[in-house]
Amino acid sequence: MADINTKLSDLIDPEVMADMVSARIPKKLRVAPFAKIDDTLAGVPGDTITVPAYTYIGDAADVAEGGEVAIEKMTTSTRKATIKKAMKGIGLTDEAVLSGYGNPVGEANTQLALAIAAKIDNDCMEALQTASLVYDGSAAPIGYNAIVDAVDLFEEEMGCSDKVMFIHPKQVTQLRKNADFLSADKYNPGVALTGEIGMIAGCRLVPSKKVPLKGGVYACPIVKLEADPETEDEIPALTIYRKREVNIETERKPKTRTTEITADEFYVAVLSNEAKVVLAKFKE
């Protein structure tokens, strides 16, 4: 006779949960979607990476007929980053899983995805906070003129590259009331980026509570997006190096009739191109 009883192992499948958590994480992210995901470390020994930053060799020069071109040496600066493990766990009792009240397994998937996504976003924002290009507008609240001054630190000649600016939700109202603000609901369908609410001074605005407030000053990163996503050699502003995707494991505690579910992801977020980030500071 076939066993028709529902077992916890039927309801809690680590492989299925891992797929579900992985699928939900991108929907919870605000900062990380603008980073490049690099999986080259997967399956490779070691947990430390060296991120190179090349120095520009200078403009080309005129060379007379028969003359020799000056040979430039490419120089680099480097920074090291160590892969780390983000982890979270949940315990589900048999009563909770089998009672049929709500969907505790589904809620566990959501909570684990939210926890890991929040950690990845935190690390991405921390990486952006290390930018060397800093605009100090802390004497006044955020505004159009101040954002223009911050953007000009990029010293762009064309000024046409896409940029995203992370702002705190408490700064949103002031910008919405600015005459130069263009709301995303006025865009053509499909034009807005993930989490974008509008645009001002050429910057796409993405609110995030991850934007830090210290000493009454918001530190808002402005990030230049890659001009050509298909150009692999162009170094992005922010890179997430992943050692392994989300992994789910379960452990049965028979004495308490509880199943513990833990999720982890091995990664590191790195500011990989300082020339593409300006940290703009504004008064609260």
Side-chain angles (χ1 to χ4, degrees):
M1 183 177 178
D3 186 358
I4 59 174
N5 293 323
T6 300
K7 299 179 180 178
L8 280 178
S9 58
D10 298 324
L11 300 176
I12 304 177
D13 186 328
E15 291 186 6
V16 173
M17 289 190 71
D19 290 341
M20 295 181 70
V21 170
S22 296
R24 293 182 185 186
I25 284 179
K27 299 178 182 178
K28 312 292 182 183
L29 296 170
R30 279 295 175 265
V31 184
F34 301 98
K36 176 183 177 182
I37 304 297
D38 190 316
D39 289 325
T40 56
L41 289 176
V44 178
D47 62 354
T48 301
I49 60 170
T50 300
V51 182
Y54 291 94
T55 302
Y56 181 46
I57 61 174
D59 294 351
D62 294 330
V63 177
E65 182 179 354
E68 291 188 1
V69 64
I71 303 301
E72 306 290 345
K73 181 180 180 181
M74 290 182 64
T75 58
T76 64
S77 61
T78 60
R79 66 174 65 194
K80 292 186 179 296
T82 301
I83 296 294
K84 54 186 178 179
K85 175 177 62 179
M87 193 171 183
K88 196 68 176 178
I90 291 177
L92 293 179
T93 63
D94 290 7
E95 289 86 351
V97 176
L98 299 176
S99 65
Y101 183 77
N103 182 11
V105 177
E107 181 62 21
N109 290 333
T110 300
Q111 293 285 345
L112 291 172
L114 181 61
I116 292 179
K119 184 64 172 67
I120 295 173
D121 256 1
N122 287 340
D123 289 350
C124 287
M125 182 58 71
E126 287 181 10
L128 292 175
Q129 294 295 311
T130 64
S132 57
L133 293 176
V134 179
Y135 170 75
D136 187 1
S138 56
I142 193 170
Y144 175 82
N145 290 336
I147 296 174
V148 169
D149 290 339
V151 169
D152 284 348
L153 291 181
F154 286 123
E155 297 184 353
E156 293 181 295
E157 293 182 325
M158 299 296 291
C160 58
S161 63
D162 256 353
K163 304 172 192 70
V164 61
M165 181 176 187
F166 297 101
I167 59 173
H168 195 279
K170 291 184 178 180
Q171 295 175 292
V172 169
T173 301
Q174 186 169 359
L175 289 175
R176 285 189 190 275
K177 294 180 179 179
N178 193 296
D180 295 292
F181 174 78
L182 176 62
S183 179
D185 60 13
K186 294 181 173 63
Y187 293 179
N188 291 326
V191 174
L193 299 176
T194 303
E196 181 182 357
I197 63 165
M199 180 180 291
I200 190 169
C203 293
R204 297 174 179 270
L205 302 175
V206 176
S208 172
K209 291 183 179 179
K210 307 295 182 183
V211 172
L213 173 62
K214 295 181 180 178
V217 175
Y218 290 112
C220 306
I222 303 174
V223 181
K224 284 179 66 174
L225 304 182
E226 294 181 69
D228 183 359
E230 296 181 358
T231 303
E232 295 181 0
D233 291 337
E234 185 172 1
I235 301 175
L238 186 66
T239 303
I240 299 174
Y241 293 91
R242 292 195 305 185
K243 188 76 170 180
R244 186 177 71 189
E245 292 188 2
V246 173
N247 179 56
I248 301 287
E249 292 188 16
T250 62
E251 183 178 0
R252 181 66 176 168
K253 300 291 185 181
K255 290 184 178 180
T256 58
R257 294 298 191 266
T258 302
T259 301
E260 293 184 353
I261 307 168
T262 57
D264 68 61
E265 183 161 6
F266 287 75
Y267 71 95
V268 64
V270 178
L271 182 63
S272 46
N273 192 340
E274 293 193 17
K276 289 189 174 184
V277 181
V278 168
L279 191 62
K281 297 184 177 181
F282 304 104
K283 185 178 179 180
E284 185 178 5

